[in-house]
């Protein structure tokens, strides 16, 4: 009952009227429905029989470097389309995302704009969660690339843009934070040409290079197709961006007449519904109650994993999940009813025996060993202490997060491979909050050997520091085998220098805290995986950590070095013997 009513609520009376000429009734529709009684429920059911023509759908990913304003933009777009947002950062639904102000997992939501249905995919902006971007770009036909007009494109802008271009998407460039005093029209032109160069360097086609540019202040809630700092009141909203999406992003190429097929791009586990599989319907129509099966490609061919029935079909509308009765090709939907298929598997009508191609993910670059806490303090903090429980939890994580690999190791330990310290740190923090107690090893970089040559992961690092700190940062990074690619003053920010470098991942392990103290907390550092390259040789004078005991107090090198110095000085002053 909830389904048809909710589906109905997707369209206002007026938009439904204007929509009627664009709606199609698929030829195979009679399969799924029986004639209903002449009542309001029947009218609702009739509405549910009507599908949105794929030409009215737009699937769009919002991609950006971290802190360039993507989450603020998503809030504004949801509000503009009438969604009821209970709080800021509506799309950041995970508690750690709210606490840290970062997006960790990709999420889809649907908004209605004029006669169209826009499925917007919010993606993380941090390189460590790049796997989340990779697995969703295959679901969309377009992307909005959000770039801070003051900062210009940064490391992660390049990373996410490369993924989008590889998938043949034609991004729309949105220069955000135009309201800032330091952002002028000239600065916007500069950033636009920097982004153009980035497109060209990444091998964009002529079509992709012809990207539209919009200027926005997500904070103030407006976007404009011409440069302005204060648009007139009647257009001080997001309508120009929404119109640009409808105009510029092609509708999904989808065949409603073919049998149903969908590639699973996201998976969640629900206490009541079991596995909720989310993906874009690549062909056909799906109804609640249809028989489907899960397929997986193997080297030996396609393997059937499970056969079952669609128990529930759902779609995220704004911040709410609504039930639907049916969905057609091109749409991004969630379904419950199957217990085994996972990300990368195909769910399809039982007559289909071909699996859809899966996305190729970048390899993991860093690994840590998770094991049982065998220290003298074991058992004081958590409730899940055994190797078995830790292993089950890690395996469950690897199933929903493709960018993490878990390999069983020796004596109840597990090697967890991922993209970076932050990604693994978030996993550890989540496990801690769930009541796990575990021991973890220091992160290790993952090497590869190709043609007898040792290769290591290299990251692209962008650094912005005060001029007086450049020397210190350069010295520290040269010991870490970094190579400077570019260096220059930051436009519109006197006394600041921006450095672009490439550095082995192993050199950057533990460097963030050193960088913060070297720059007195005023520097920015952004990093993203670039490539595997020939091993650059051993690191220079890099302290891995020193534990010092003085006056019976233990000091950890670096983080407490100042405290150590002052303690040492007062000790020396008060000591009247020989030192
Ligand atoms: P995300 O990491 O890309 O999701 O970025 P957020 O949406 O979390 O924004 C990062 C910071 O930039 C927040 O403090 C926002 O308030 C701020 N911000 C976002 N959009 C704008 C804007 O248009 N103008 C200004 N001045 N600040 C903005």
């Amino acid at each position: 009952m909830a389904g048809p009513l909710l589906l109905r609520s997707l369209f206002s009376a007026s938009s439904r009227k204007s929509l009627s000429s664009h709606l199609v009734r698929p030829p195979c529709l009679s399969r799924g429905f029986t004639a209903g009684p002449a009542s309001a429920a029947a009218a609702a059911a009739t509405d549910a029989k009507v599908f949105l023509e794929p030409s009215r759908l737009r699937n769009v990913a919002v991609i950006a470097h971290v802190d360039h304003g993507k989450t603020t933009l998503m809030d504004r777009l949801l509000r503009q389309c009438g969604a009821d947002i209970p709080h800021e950062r509506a799309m950041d639904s995970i508690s750690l995302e709210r606490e840290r102000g970062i997006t960790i997992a990709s999420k889809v939501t649907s908004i209605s704009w004029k006669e169209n249905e826009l499925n917007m995919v919010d993606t993380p902006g941090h390189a460590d969660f790049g796997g989340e971007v990779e697995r969703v770009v295959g679901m969309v036909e377009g992307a909005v690339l959000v770039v801070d007009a003051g900062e210009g494109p940064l490391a992660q802008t390049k990373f996410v843009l490369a993924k989008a271009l590889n998938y043949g998407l034609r991004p729309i460039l949105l220069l955000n934070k135009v309201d800032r005093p330091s952002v002028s029209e000239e600065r916007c032109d500069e950033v636009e040409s920097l982004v153009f160069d980035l497109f060209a360097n990444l091998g964009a086609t002529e079509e992709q290079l012809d990207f539209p540019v919009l200027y926005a202040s997500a904070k103030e809630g407006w976007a404009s197709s011409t440069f302005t700092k204060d648009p007139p009141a009647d257009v001080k909203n997001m309508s120009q961006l929404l119109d640009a999406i409808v105009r510029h992003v092609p509708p999904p190429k989808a065949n409603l007449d073919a049998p149903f097929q969908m590639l699973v791009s996201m998976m969640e586990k629900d206490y009541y519904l079991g596995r909720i599989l989310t993906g874009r319907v690549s062909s056909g129509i799906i109804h609640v109650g249809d028989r489907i099966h899960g397929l997986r490609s193997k080297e030996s061919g396609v393997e059937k994993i499970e056969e079952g029935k669609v128990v529930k079909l759902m779609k995220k509308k704004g911040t709410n999940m609504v039930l639907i009765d049916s969905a057609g090709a091109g749409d991004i939907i969630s379904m419950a009813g199957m217990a085994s298929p996972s990300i990368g598997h195909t769910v399809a009508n039982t007559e289909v025996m071909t699996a859809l191609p899966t996305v190729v993910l970048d390899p993991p670059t860093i690994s840590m060993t998770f094991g049982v806490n065998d220290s003298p303090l074991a058992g004081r903090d958590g409730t899940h202490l055994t190797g078995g429980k830790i292993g089950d939890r890690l395996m469950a994580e690897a199933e929903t997060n493709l960018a993490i690999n878990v390999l069983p190791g020796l004596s109840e330990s597990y090697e967890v491979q991922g993209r970076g310290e932050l990604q693994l740190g978030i996993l550890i923090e989540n496990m801690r909050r769930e009541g796990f107690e575990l021991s973890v090893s220091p992160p290790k970089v993952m090497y590869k050997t190709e043609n007898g040559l040792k290769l290591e992961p290299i990251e692209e690092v962008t650094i912005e520091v005060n001029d007086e700190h450049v020397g210190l940062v350069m010295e520290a990074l040269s010991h870490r085998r970094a190579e400077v690619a570019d260096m220059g003053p930051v436009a519109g920010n006197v006394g600041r220098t921006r450095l672009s470098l490439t550095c082995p991942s192993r050199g950057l392990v533990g460097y963030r805290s050193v960088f913060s103290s070297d720059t007195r907390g005023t520097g920015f550092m952004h990093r993203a995986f670039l490539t595997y390259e020939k091993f650059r040789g051993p690191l220079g004078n890099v302290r891995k950590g020193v534990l010092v005991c003085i006056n019976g107090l233990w000091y950890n090198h670096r983080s407490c070095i100042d405290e150590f110095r002052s303690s040492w000085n007062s000790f020396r002053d008060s000591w009247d013997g020989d030192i």
Side-chain angles (χ1 to χ4, degrees):
M1 182 63 207
L5 284 176
L6 288 164
L7 189 76
R8 234 147 71 96
S9 71
L10 304 187
F11 313 105
S12 66
S14 60
S15 66
R16 215 181 315 151
K17 193 163 164 253
S18 57
L19 255 176
S20 57
S21 57
H22 307 291
L23 295 169
V24 289
R25 194 181 292 264
C28 50
L29 202 64
S30 51
R31 263 186 313 146
F33 297 94
T34 51
S39 63
T46 316
D47 272 358
K49 288 179 192 173
V50 184
F51 291 87
L52 265 183
E53 194 183 311
S55 67
R56 296 284 142 187
L57 284 171
R58 297 291 184 279
N59 300 322
V60 194
V62 184
I63 53 176
H65 181 87
V66 67
D67 272 355
H68 279 195
K70 185 179 48 55
T71 312
T72 314
L73 179 76
M74 284 299 289
D75 279 359
R76 295 298 178 182
L77 290 176
L78 288 172
R79 282 220 175 101
Q80 171 92 43
C81 296
D84 180 21
I85 297 182
H87 48 74
E88 299 281 299
R89 309 192 73 88
M91 293 298 284
D92 285 353
S93 50
I94 305 171
S95 58
L96 264 179
E97 292 186 317
R98 292 238 180 86
E99 280 169 34
R100 293 185 174 226
I102 53 169
T103 306
I104 295 171
S106 292
K107 291 161 216 95
V108 188
T109 192
S110 162
I111 48 182
S112 303
W113 177 244
K114 296 182 178 168
E115 295 149 11
N116 305 285
E117 189 80 359
L118 314 184
N119 291 318
M120 310 286 298
V121 187
D122 186 17
T123 60
H126 200 286
D128 283 27
F129 309 113
E132 292 287 314
V133 182
E134 288 157 13
R135 70 176 179 174
V136 297
V137 282
M139 285 205 296
V140 296
E141 287 77 36
V144 176
L145 176 69
V146 182
V147 176
D148 184 324
E151 289 192 342
L154 289 175
Q156 184 69 358
T157 314
K158 184 173 170 188
F159 178 84
V160 288
L161 180 62
K163 300 284 167 207
L165 295 177
N166 266 347
Y167 270 85
L169 308 184
R170 288 176 58 199
I172 295 169
L173 173 63
L174 185 83
L175 297 178
N176 192 27
K177 308 197 186 183
V178 170
D179 59 289
R180 288 201 164 159
S182 61
V183 177
S184 58
E185 192 165 4
E186 292 76 55
R187 176 63 192 153
C188 285
D189 290 345
E190 251 172 56
V191 172
E192 193 184 323
S193 48
L194 285 173
V195 176
F196 185 88
D197 292 348
L198 200 57
F199 270 68
N201 291 340
L202 291 169
T205 61
E206 275 199 16
E207 261 198 331
Q208 288 171 328
L209 281 171
D210 191 21
F211 54 84
V213 185
L214 282 101
Y215 307 85
S217 168
K219 197 170 176 181
E220 292 176 2
W222 56 266
S224 162
S225 50
T226 50
F227 179 82
T228 168
K229 281 203 168 248
D230 190 18
D234 56 328
V235 287
K236 203 165 185 170
N237 52 41
M238 285 289 166
S239 53
Q240 296 201 28
L241 173 61
L242 290 159
D243 286 341
I245 291 174
V246 172
R247 236 189 353 261
H248 194 71
V249 175
K253 286 197 194 89
N255 182 359
L256 289 168
D257 299 335
F260 166 75
Q261 255 188 321
M262 179 182 102
L263 179 73
V264 181
S265 298
M266 299 181 194
M267 189 195 80
E268 286 165 82
K269 285 187 184 154
D270 182 86
Y271 188 75
Y272 297 103
L273 297 174
R275 285 186 183 210
I276 299 179
L277 310 174
T278 302
R280 188 186 57 172
V281 181
S282 72
S283 62
I285 298 161
I286 182 82
H287 310 103
V288 173
D290 278 0
R291 284 210 77 74
I292 49 169
H293 62 185
L295 302 169
R296 150 170 71 192
S297 313
K298 288 180 95 183
E299 273 171 28
S300 51
V302 176
E303 185 196 21
K304 182 166 167 171
I305 315 167
E306 186 196 355
E307 187 169 328
K309 206 170 80 170
V310 180
V311 175
K312 282 214 162 39
L313 280 180
M314 291 158 279
K315 210 173 153 152
K316 188 103 181 252
K317 263 311 259 184
T319 50
N320 305 317
M321 198 59 127
V322 299
L323 296 172
I324 52 174
D325 276 354
S326 46
D331 210 351
I332 299 178
I333 54 145
S334 302
M335 67 163 72
M338 306 277 275
S340 305
S342 188
I343 299 171
H345 297 159
T346 302
V347 281
N349 196 307
T350 44
E351 70 213 42
V352 178
M353 273 315 286
T354 47
L356 294 164
T358 52
V359 286
V360 183
L361 295 188
D362 280 347
T365 54
I366 210 160
S367 83
M368 281 168 110
T369 306
F370 286 40
V372 174
N373 180 9
D374 51 7
S375 79
L377 303 177
R380 297 212 182 169
D381 235 14
T383 45
H384 307 310
L385 312 171
T386 61
K389 285 216 165 180
I390 294 172
D392 290 348
R393 171 66 179 83
L394 291 174
M395 291 301 174
E397 181 71 25
E399 221 177 342
T400 52
N401 187 348
L402 285 198
I404 279 186
N405 292 345
V406 178
L407 309 173
L410 295 172
S411 70
E412 301 204 307
S413 68
Y414 299 85
E415 185 183 335
V416 182
Q417 304 174 339
R419 295 281 182 84
E421 292 161 274
L422 181 62
Q423 187 197 22
L424 297 182
I426 295 277
L427 172 61
I428 295 168
E429 176 61 11
N430 275 334
M431 289 178 74
R432 194 189 65 76
R433 289 182 184 196
E434 289 162 23
F436 282 88
E437 208 180 277
L438 56 143
S439 66
V440 292
S441 72
K444 263 190 323 197
V445 160
M446 296 178 61
Y447 298 104
K448 281 204 297 198
T449 310
E450 254 173 40
N451 303 328
L453 208 62
K454 184 173 175 182
L455 304 181
E456 66 171 334
I458 301 287
E459 297 190 26
E460 182 168 2
V461 189
T462 314
I463 282 175
E464 207 180 291
V465 287
N466 290 341
D467 291 349
E468 65 267 27
H469 299 138
V470 172
L472 217 54
V473 169
M474 291 274 274
E475 192 194 335
L477 283 167
S478 67
H479 289 307
R480 291 163 188 269
R481 297 276 168 188
E483 286 171 12
V484 179
D486 194 17
M487 182 174 166
V490 178
N493 215 338
V494 182
R496 297 278 282 179
T497 301
R498 179 174 296 178
L499 300 156
S500 295
L501 314 105
T502 59
C503 185
S505 296
R506 74 196 146 100
L508 294 170
V509 171
Y511 177 62
R512 195 168 284 279
S513 62
V514 179
F515 176 76
S516 294
S517 71
D518 281 353
T519 60
R520 301 285 177 264
T522 58
F524 296 114
M525 178 171 75
H526 301 293
R527 34 191 286 209
F529 170 74
L530 185 65
T531 178
Y532 264 89
E533 248 180 35
K534 196 176 147 219
F535 183 68
R536 289 195 182 171
L539 301 184
N541 182 18
V542 177
R543 283 253 179 121
K544 295 253 171 65
V546 179
L547 213 56
V548 187
C549 178
I550 182 161
N551 266 2
L553 293 171
W554 286 93
Y555 296 96
N556 188 348
H557 169 64
R558 274 293 174 195
S559 54
C560 300
I561 196 110
D562 291 337
E563 206 184 326
F564 166 68
R565 274 204 198 108
S566 65
S567 227
W568 167 251
N569 290 341
S570 58
F571 168 75
R572 198 181 43 196
D573 295 345
S574 60
W575 183 251
D576 51 4
D578 292 336
I579 295 181

